[in-house]
């Protein structure tokens, strides 16, 4: 990456458990970011039938709503439902917590929302933590 390159808006965070996945989402989320996230999750499903997932959102600047309704995104969401045991979101706009509370009864996976200031509680709920950097 050069100094002029912009880092991706979706970045994977290594965790303390092989079957726990975490992602940091920053800024404005585009269709390419959503496809990248679902691509990374598809790789996880190849290795683990069931995973736990934490998405940490900060400095949120919006979302390309057309990305939510693209065929690839809908397929990714549908496939994810089969593989996610626990799903936590930390941060993002306030409506995310309301949305998770609204949809929680309709899914078999456990779902929780945490304000960004309580990201440590989200990690504990998931039963994982960020992996230590290599020595």
């Amino acid at each position: 990456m050069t100094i002029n390159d912009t880092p991706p808006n979706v970045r994977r965070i290594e965790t303390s458990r092989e079957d726990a996945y975490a992602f940091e989402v920053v800024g404005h989320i585009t269709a390419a970011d959503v496809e990248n996230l679902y691509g990374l999750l598809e790789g996880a499903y190849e290795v683990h039938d069931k995973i736990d997932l934490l998405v940490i959102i900060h400095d949120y600047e919006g979302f390309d709503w057309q990305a939510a309704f693209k065929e690839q995104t809908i397929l990714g969401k549908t496939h994810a439902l089969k593989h996610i045991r626990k799903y936590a979101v930390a941060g993002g706009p306030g409506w995310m917590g309301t949305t998770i509370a609204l949809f929680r009864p309709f899914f078999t996976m456990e779902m929780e929302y945490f304000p960004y200031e309580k990201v440590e509680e989200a990690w504990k709920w998931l039963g994982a933590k960020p992996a230590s950097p290599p020595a």
Side-chain angles (χ1 to χ4, degrees):
M1 186 181 314
T2 67
I3 195 151
N4 294 325
D5 289 340
T6 304
N9 292 338
V10 176
R11 297 182 279 276
R12 180 159 180 222
I13 301 169
E14 296 294 327
T15 72
S16 59
R17 286 185 21 228
E18 284 186 21
D19 63 343
Y21 288 77
F23 295 92
E24 176 184 40
V25 178
V26 180
H28 184 84
I29 309 308
T30 66
D33 295 320
V34 173
E35 288 177 23
N36 178 41
L37 176 61
Y38 283 123
L40 292 168
L41 289 173
E42 286 294 326
Y45 310 149
E46 291 294 320
V47 179
H48 305 283
D49 184 51
K50 295 286 186 180
I51 65 168
D52 295 334
L53 176 63
L54 170 60
V55 177
I56 302 168
I57 303 169
H58 63 88
D59 299 322
Y60 179 78
E61 295 176 1
F63 180 80
D64 285 344
W65 285 101
Q66 67 183 15
F69 301 105
K70 285 181 71 174
E71 181 179 358
Q72 189 63 31
T73 302
I74 293 169
L75 290 172
K77 288 179 185 176
T78 303
H79 196 222
L81 294 175
K82 300 175 188 173
H83 296 281
I84 298 176
R85 233 181 348 246
K86 292 177 89 172
Y87 175 51
V89 174
W95 57 260
M96 287 188 173
T98 303
T99 302
I100 287 173
L102 179 68
F103 285 103
R104 185 181 299 128
F106 302 103
F107 294 99
T108 58
M109 75 178 94
E110 295 180 60
M111 300 168 63
E112 285 294 331
Y113 173 80
F114 300 84
Y116 183 73
E117 302 78 35
K118 296 186 177 188
V119 70
E120 291 303 318
E121 288 181 32
W123 281 106
K124 287 178 187 174
W125 181 82
L126 201 69
K129 56 187 173 183
S132 301

